[in-house]
Amino acid sequence: MRALFLVIDLALELYIYLLVAAAVFSWLIAFNVVNTRNQFVGMVADFLYRITEPALRPIRNRMPNLGGIDLSPMILFFILLFFHYVIVIYLIPNVP
């Protein structure tokens, strides 16, 4: 059972890294640092969008319109961090 919690924790950490990469990549695209017409950049942008958008969409739907500011990645980051700490602090030490 401990191994299952460790795998879930690893998946959460990996998703946090992907979420941060998607946020940074969206800034790079918004400020025209990278060109999405480049095939590799387009593939990376599409992958990051497809992997993070299903988790970000429900948060964006519930948030009020803040103009050009999107706080949904930060909210999802804190939610994932909360689950990470719950697993590490409460679940793993109590599993035989």
Side-chain angles (χ1 to χ4, degrees):
M1 192 64 151
R2 181 178 291 229
L4 177 65
F5 286 133
L6 289 174
V7 169
I8 292 171
D9 183 49
L10 182 64
L12 282 174
E13 286 184 35
L14 179 64
Y15 198 78
I16 287 172
Y17 291 134
L18 288 173
L19 184 66
V20 170
V24 169
F25 208 73
S26 71
W27 293 338
L28 293 175
I29 291 172
F31 292 122
N32 289 326
V33 175
V34 294
N35 186 2
T36 55
R37 285 184 256 165
N38 183 341
Q39 185 179 5
F40 177 73
V41 172
M43 286 179 9
V44 170
D46 186 51
F47 169 74
L48 290 173
Y49 177 80
R50 287 177 186 244
I51 203 81
T52 58
E53 187 61 24
L56 292 172
R57 189 177 306 121
I59 297 171
R60 286 186 184 132
N61 289 340
R62 293 190 191 340
M63 288 184 56
N65 187 6
L66 298 174
I69 299 172
D70 185 16
L71 297 177
S72 58
M74 189 172 12
I75 292 171
L76 182 60
F77 175 77
F78 287 131
I79 291 170
L80 293 174
L81 200 61
F82 171 76
F83 285 124
H84 167 74
Y85 283 128
V86 165
I87 289 173
V88 169
I89 294 173
Y90 295 111
L91 294 178
I92 291 178
N94 296 325
V95 173

